[in-house]
Amino acid sequence: MSSSPVPDPAQYARFRELQQLAYSAAEAVARGLEPGVTEREAAARLRHHLVERGVQDWFHTPFAWFGDRTAFRGFKVPLQFFPTRRRLEEGMPFILDCAPVRDGYVADIGYSGCLGANRIHDKLMDDLAAYRELIVEQVRAGRRLSDIYRAVDALISEQGYDNRHRVYPGRVIAHQVGMVRSRLPRFVAAGFGVRALQTLAQDLLVERMHHRSPLWADGRISRHPATPGMWAVEPHIGFRGVGVKFEEILVVEQDGDAFWLDDDLPHVRRRQDRKVTR
């Protein structure tokens, strides 16, 4: 959400701190989920948890998806992304997603879980780990964003799954993040913070002038290597009504090097605990 240069390394800690807060909030809400809770109630819990800990604004307010909605089954219009009265049941997968803003810093995370046992969910989570390595390796190699998108598609097909991030508006797998630059009052419209949206709109105009975009998809505008900066990356895969994803910040430096901002995240720890290999 920002076309500005890579932040000073001294700022990494502030972005990392907010990303950690967002993930810890998702983990806390996930631990408290029980049969019968609705998506709206889960999203409200996530929002309350973050506001209590100093979050002042949003790139987007919290989302929660239960059951086959984790795979965006039947999604056709943007309104279907918003939390519903769908109730959680035993064995049902869920995804919690939030993008808080604090002191101008932005994080955008996605947390996948399941209430009880679900073998399909566990297998998808195991296989999701490969995308984290694939993406950073290809960015470091200087490949065009559209080509990396297609490499992700190829891995999804190889694993026998469905690409679900293509259902997001603009088919995006990632978007740039940075400092929110706006003097507008804090206000949420249609689930998005107007200050963050203004910053994104400004970045879209600037990047278009350079034949680039702060949105990473598979079209012509993404036929360039990753622009230096910070990207919220969210590969999302699905199978038989179960969807899983992670979302976290990837840092791309001026020299083309790239690294994940933080390796101490739930999906990374899960992979280490289960000794998942590519």
Side-chain angles (χ1 to χ4, degrees):
M1 194 187 55
S2 173
S3 58
S4 59
V6 178
D8 185 288
Q11 290 183 301
Y12 291 163
R14 299 291 300 276
F15 283 101
R16 188 181 300 113
E17 180 183 341
L18 184 58
Q19 182 172 262
Q20 279 282 344
L21 174 64
Y23 261 113
S24 66
E27 288 184 295
V29 170
R31 286 193 296 270
L33 292 178
E34 67 281 342
V37 68
T38 68
E39 291 179 344
R40 290 181 182 177
E41 290 168 343
R45 292 177 188 180
L46 189 51
R47 181 170 185 159
H48 179 74
H49 186 105
L50 289 165
V51 169
E52 276 197 329
R53 287 157 180 80
V55 166
Q56 305 139 331
D57 201 359
W58 309 93
F59 174 54
H60 67 71
T61 54
F63 293 108
W65 303 300
F66 295 167
D68 63 1
R69 283 175 49 80
T70 60
F72 298 161
R73 179 68 62 86
F75 281 28
K76 301 296 183 183
V77 297
L79 288 176
Q80 290 176 288
F81 288 96
F82 289 97
T84 69
R85 293 188 175 87
R86 169 72 66 86
R87 294 187 180 278
L88 193 62
E89 299 175 7
E90 190 67 28
M92 193 178 266
F94 60 83
I95 295 176
L96 303 175
D97 187 309
C98 63
V101 178
R102 188 173 66 177
D103 299 330
Y105 293 88
V106 181
D108 197 348
I109 69 98
Y111 177 89
S112 295
C114 188
L115 186 67
N118 185 308
R119 287 185 294 177
I120 293 177
H121 173 269
D122 288 347
K123 182 65 166 63
L124 283 167
M125 286 296 295
D126 287 346
D127 290 342
L128 183 67
Y131 296 87
R132 195 173 190 264
E133 291 185 15
L134 172 67
I135 289 168
V136 73
E137 288 171 357
Q138 300 245 326
V139 171
R140 286 172 178 164
R143 297 198 66 196
R144 299 185 303 181
L145 295 179
S146 55
D147 292 334
I148 301 173
Y149 194 107
R150 284 189 281 274
V152 170
D153 273 351
L155 179 56
I156 293 172
S157 295
E158 179 185 326
Q159 292 179 336
Y161 300 142
D162 298 321
N163 177 336
R164 305 320 297 153
H165 47 263
R166 69 182 178 188
V167 182
Y168 286 106
R171 298 172 59 89
V172 298
I173 191 174
H175 60 85
Q176 282 194 282
V177 297
M179 301 295 295
V180 172
R181 310 180 306 275
S182 174
R183 295 184 178 180
L184 292 174
R186 294 189 181 101
F187 182 71
V188 173
F192 287 82
V194 295
R195 291 161 59 93
L197 284 180
Q198 183 191 40
T199 302
L200 178 60
Q202 292 169 345
D203 292 340
L204 279 166
L205 290 174
V206 172
E207 290 292 270
R208 288 283 178 169
M209 292 174 60
H210 295 88
H211 306 289
R212 302 185 306 239
S213 174
L215 306 176
W216 174 353
D218 57 347
R220 184 170 59 183
I221 200 65
S222 293
R223 292 177 187 169
H224 61 85
T227 307
M230 307 179 80
W231 293 82
V233 184
E234 53 181 330
H236 190 156
I237 60 177
F239 182 71
R240 294 184 179 176
V242 177
V244 302
K245 73 167 187 171
F246 64 78
E247 185 172 11
E248 58 173 304
I249 293 175
L250 177 72
V251 179
V252 182
E253 299 196 303
Q254 296 287 0
D255 62 3
D257 191 20
F259 57 90
W260 296 105
L261 182 64
D262 193 355
D263 286 325
D264 186 20
L265 299 177
H267 51 282
V268 181
R269 295 193 297 268
R270 180 187 185 280
R271 177 180 185 175
Q272 294 166 346
D273 292 343
R274 290 173 64 88
K275 298 180 174 56
V276 175
T277 58
R278 285 182 63 175

